[in-house]
Amino acid sequence: MVSDRRDFIKKTSLALAASAVPFSNIYALKSKETLGVALVGLGYYSTDVLAPALRLTKHCKLAGIVTGSPHKIPKWQKQYGIKDKNVYNYQNMHQIANNPEIDVIYIVLPTGLHAEYAIKAANTGKHVWCEKPMARTAQECQAIIDACTKNKVKLSIGYRMQHEPNTQKIMHWAKIKPFGDITSVNAKAGYYDPRTNHWKLKKEMGGGALYDMGVYPINALRYSTGEEPTKVLHAKHSTKRPKLFTQVDETTYFKLQFPSGAVGRGETSFGKSMNQLIVDTKNGWYKLSPFQSYSGVQGITSTGEKLLPFNGNQQATQMDNDSLSILNNTDVLVPGEEGLKDIILVEAIYEAARTGKEVKL
């Protein structure tokens, strides 16, 4: 397992180097001011969050949809003015390759389907945005990266928090350490989910708290320290609804070791509400609470400095930033390699919980 993870990290470095080469199809976009986006999957996040956010963006717009639910199409067309020729299903989405009005394909499907459809999207020659978690396994993540590299398209993972100003300040402080060396980070993200027949309860679909909400504390521990962990010190699962959570975890706790000596503690759950990030340092502390909500992310430091909420729309900011990276041929803020690193950790945390032992990374 250790050697496998090292191989993935090595491949990540090679992929980052490969991403520096020019993208041939980007030059065709020079005359465009806005990019056309096609949403793949019309569930809650596309319907209630992304589509409304696309009305607020400056550099991209909703141009197409891909759905396996024909009854949803008339409402979407009426509400967003989507043309008949820009409506696709999962069987014919490869035809987007011939549609000049669509520049980006955004994968908004259950996690277990991300790899299959992100690769299909890359093979159309369109740029790919993929919701987090990136995929079920590190192998699938690497396959998505490889497909995008092969097709010379950009790949962005939907980590909206890394586009949010207070989160970016936490990331900056990890570099400059204004309160001294970081000693520990605690991150918790969870909510009570009452649903009894949802894909998030199914292992093969990428369900479970660690995949769904767990990538928030995992990513936060990494960006708050500015380091990559060297081992999973401890991990455990628990549930208060064992008859419901037969395939996946309801609540997971984990502890990570970082090269500097800092310790990261994370917790995630479908059984209780949690939303806090606390960074302890040699000379003080700072925190965000909530740290991963769609709005209202705010915080305070040990010196009394307040980190006031961002007034903008996180998803619109994310999509505009990712659009500008395509239009200007610059590096994306959250590349596929970032999603891969989190899934390597997800797999290691599951292993530590299963074996009851430390797992080296």
Side-chain angles (χ1 to χ4, degrees):
M1 293 295 294
V2 175
S3 61
D4 289 344
R5 292 191 187 92
R6 287 173 178 165
D7 287 343
F8 279 121
I9 293 171
K10 183 177 180 180
K11 289 180 179 179
T12 295
S13 300
L14 293 173
L16 281 168
S19 67
V21 301
F23 293 88
S24 59
N25 61 342
I26 286 174
Y27 299 105
L29 298 174
K30 286 295 185 180
S31 61
K32 286 196 172 188
E33 294 182 357
T34 59
L35 302 178
V37 178
L39 296 176
V40 181
L42 305 184
Y44 159 74
Y45 198 61
S46 284
T47 302
D48 292 0
V49 182
L50 292 177
L54 279 161
R55 284 181 158 167
L56 304 175
T57 52
K58 298 178 180 179
H59 304 289
C60 57
K61 60 184 179 182
L62 179 58
I65 54 175
V66 179
T67 181
S69 304
H71 68 276
K72 295 181 179 180
I73 295 172
K75 182 179 179 180
W76 276 76
Q77 287 191 296
K78 181 179 180 181
Q79 189 168 358
Y80 295 103
I82 298 171
K83 301 174 184 178
D84 288 343
K85 68 176 183 176
N86 292 354
V87 176
Y88 298 87
N89 57 48
Y90 299 121
Q91 289 70 45
N92 68 12
M93 69 172 280
H94 62 278
Q95 295 175 7
I96 294 177
N98 303 316
N99 191 333
E101 295 183 6
I102 296 176
D103 306 292
V104 177
I105 299 177
Y106 197 156
I107 308 302
V108 201
L109 293 165
T111 306
L113 300 174
H114 282 186
E116 178 183 354
Y117 287 94
I119 291 169
K120 286 184 178 181
N123 288 337
T124 68
K126 306 296 183 178
H127 300 285
V128 181
W129 297 345
C130 181
E131 257 313 301
K132 58 90 196 134
M134 185 176 174
R136 279 195 65 209
T137 67
Q139 288 92 340
E140 289 182 348
C141 292
Q142 190 62 56
I144 295 171
I145 293 170
D146 291 345
C148 290
T149 300
K150 177 183 176 181
N151 287 284
K152 298 182 179 179
V153 297
K154 287 186 179 287
L155 170 63
S156 298
I157 310 302
Y159 283 82
R160 58 187 168 81
M161 300 318 308
Q162 293 201 29
H163 298 261
E164 191 275 329
N166 282 331
T167 304
Q168 291 183 334
K169 179 169 286 189
I170 296 294
M171 296 170 72
H172 180 61
W173 284 352
K175 296 178 181 179
I176 66 171
K177 297 181 173 59
F179 296 85
D181 290 340
I182 295 167
T183 56
S184 68
V185 181
N186 287 266
K188 299 179 179 182
Y191 64 96
Y192 182 82
D193 193 336
R195 293 174 293 188
T196 59
N197 186 26
H198 193 267
W199 68 262
K200 291 181 182 180
L201 295 169
K202 299 176 182 178
K203 183 177 181 179
E204 71 273 12
M205 296 299 287
L210 189 59
Y211 275 107
D212 185 63
M213 296 298 290
V215 290
Y216 287 113
I218 288 173
N219 204 246
L221 296 181
R222 292 178 50 240
Y223 64 62
S224 296
T225 59
E227 297 184 281
E228 299 301 331
T230 55
K231 65 176 68 174
V232 179
L233 295 169
H234 174 67
K236 66 177 180 179
H237 303 308
S238 64
T239 180
K240 294 183 178 180
R241 294 176 285 174
K243 292 184 179 179
L244 184 61
F245 287 88
T246 59
Q247 297 184 27
V248 299
D249 55 308
E250 180 180 17
T251 299
T252 296
Y253 167 82
F254 54 93
K255 184 178 179 182
L256 307 179
Q257 179 73 62
F258 290 89
S260 64
V263 173
R265 296 177 178 86
E267 188 175 3
T268 184
S269 181
F270 282 155
K272 53 184 175 179
S273 295
M274 302 179 289
N275 199 337
Q276 190 174 65
L277 171 64
I278 302 174
V279 182
D280 288 308
T281 70
K282 185 177 181 180
N283 301 318
W285 54 266
Y286 43 93
K287 70 176 182 179
L288 293 178
S289 182
F291 88 93
Q292 53 82 23
S293 296
Y294 289 168
S295 62
V297 173
Q298 58 188 306
I300 192 168
T301 74
S302 55
T303 60
E305 178 184 352
K306 293 182 179 180
L307 306 179
L308 300 176
F310 172 53
N311 291 324
N313 181 285
Q314 292 177 10
Q315 287 81 5
T317 301
Q318 169 199 320
M319 291 187 286
D320 267 340
N321 287 345
D322 287 340
S323 294
L324 285 172
S325 74
I326 293 170
L327 290 166
N328 298 328
N329 192 19
T330 56
D331 292 338
V332 300
L333 186 60
V334 188
E337 292 74 19
E338 182 75 358
L340 167 61
K341 289 175 181 177
D342 279 354
I343 298 305
I344 289 173
L345 275 168
V346 166
E347 293 185 313
I349 291 167
Y350 275 128
E351 182 183 349
R354 178 180 59 82
T355 63
K357 299 178 180 179
E358 290 185 357
V359 176
K360 292 183 179 180
L361 297 159

